[in-house]
Short mmCIF file of all heavy atoms in Angstrom, two decimals:
data_model
loop_
_atom_site.label_atom_id
_atom_site.label_comp_id
_atom_site.label_asym_id
_atom_site.label_seq_id
_atom_site.Cartn_x
_atom_site.Cartn_y
_atom_site.Cartn_z
N LYS A 50 -15.79 25.10 -17.00
CA LYS A 50 -15.16 25.16 -18.28
C LYS A 50 -15.32 26.58 -18.85
O LYS A 50 -14.36 27.13 -19.51
CB LYS A 50 -15.93 24.17 -19.37
CG LYS A 50 -15.52 22.75 -19.06
CD LYS A 50 -16.49 21.85 -19.84
CE LYS A 50 -16.47 21.91 -21.34
NZ LYS A 50 -17.35 20.96 -21.91
N SER A 89 -15.09 16.78 -14.32
CA SER A 89 -15.97 15.80 -14.55
C SER A 89 -16.86 15.63 -13.32
O SER A 89 -16.81 16.46 -12.37
CB SER A 89 -15.25 14.41 -14.81
OG SER A 89 -16.13 13.47 -15.22
N TYR A 160 -22.67 -9.59 -14.13
CA TYR A 160 -21.96 -9.23 -12.93
C TYR A 160 -20.65 -8.50 -13.17
O TYR A 160 -19.80 -8.41 -12.31
CB TYR A 160 -21.68 -10.44 -12.05
CG TYR A 160 -22.92 -11.30 -11.68
CD1 TYR A 160 -23.10 -12.46 -12.19
CD2 TYR A 160 -23.94 -10.70 -10.80
CE1 TYR A 160 -24.25 -13.30 -11.89
CE2 TYR A 160 -25.12 -11.55 -10.55
CZ TYR A 160 -25.17 -12.75 -11.07
OH TYR A 160 -26.32 -13.56 -10.81
N TYR A 214 -8.72 5.42 7.20
CA TYR A 214 -7.53 5.19 6.54
C TYR A 214 -6.42 6.11 7.01
O TYR A 214 -5.35 6.07 6.40
CB TYR A 214 -7.72 5.33 5.02
CG TYR A 214 -8.52 4.32 4.45
CD1 TYR A 214 -9.76 4.46 3.95
CD2 TYR A 214 -7.96 3.08 4.29
CE1 TYR A 214 -10.49 3.45 3.37
CE2 TYR A 214 -8.71 1.99 3.70
CZ TYR A 214 -10.06 2.20 3.29
OH TYR A 214 -10.71 1.11 2.67
N LYS A 250 -33.42 35.64 8.17
CA LYS A 250 -34.20 35.40 7.03
C LYS A 250 -34.96 34.02 7.14
O LYS A 250 -35.72 33.75 6.16
CB LYS A 250 -33.28 35.33 5.90
CG LYS A 250 -32.55 36.75 5.55
CD LYS A 250 -31.52 36.53 4.47
CE LYS A 250 -30.87 37.88 4.20
NZ LYS A 250 -29.81 37.87 3.16
N GLU A 310 -38.95 6.90 -2.78
CA GLU A 310 -40.05 5.80 -2.96
C GLU A 310 -41.42 6.32 -2.32
O GLU A 310 -42.40 5.53 -2.63
CB GLU A 310 -39.59 4.49 -2.41
CG GLU A 310 -39.07 4.50 -1.02
CD GLU A 310 -37.56 4.65 -0.86
OE1 GLU A 310 -37.08 5.56 -1.57
OE2 GLU A 310 -36.93 3.84 -0.19
N ILE A 362 -14.98 3.29 14.98
CA ILE A 362 -15.30 4.64 14.59
C ILE A 362 -16.77 4.87 14.87
O ILE A 362 -17.59 4.10 14.18
CB ILE A 362 -14.91 5.00 13.18
CG1 ILE A 362 -13.35 4.72 12.97
CG2 ILE A 362 -15.36 6.37 12.78
CD1 ILE A 362 -12.82 4.88 11.57
#
Side-chain angles (χ1 to χ4, degrees):
K50 287 165 64 177
S89 189
Y160 303 110
Y214 288 109
K250 300 176 180 179
E310 53 266 51
I362 298 172

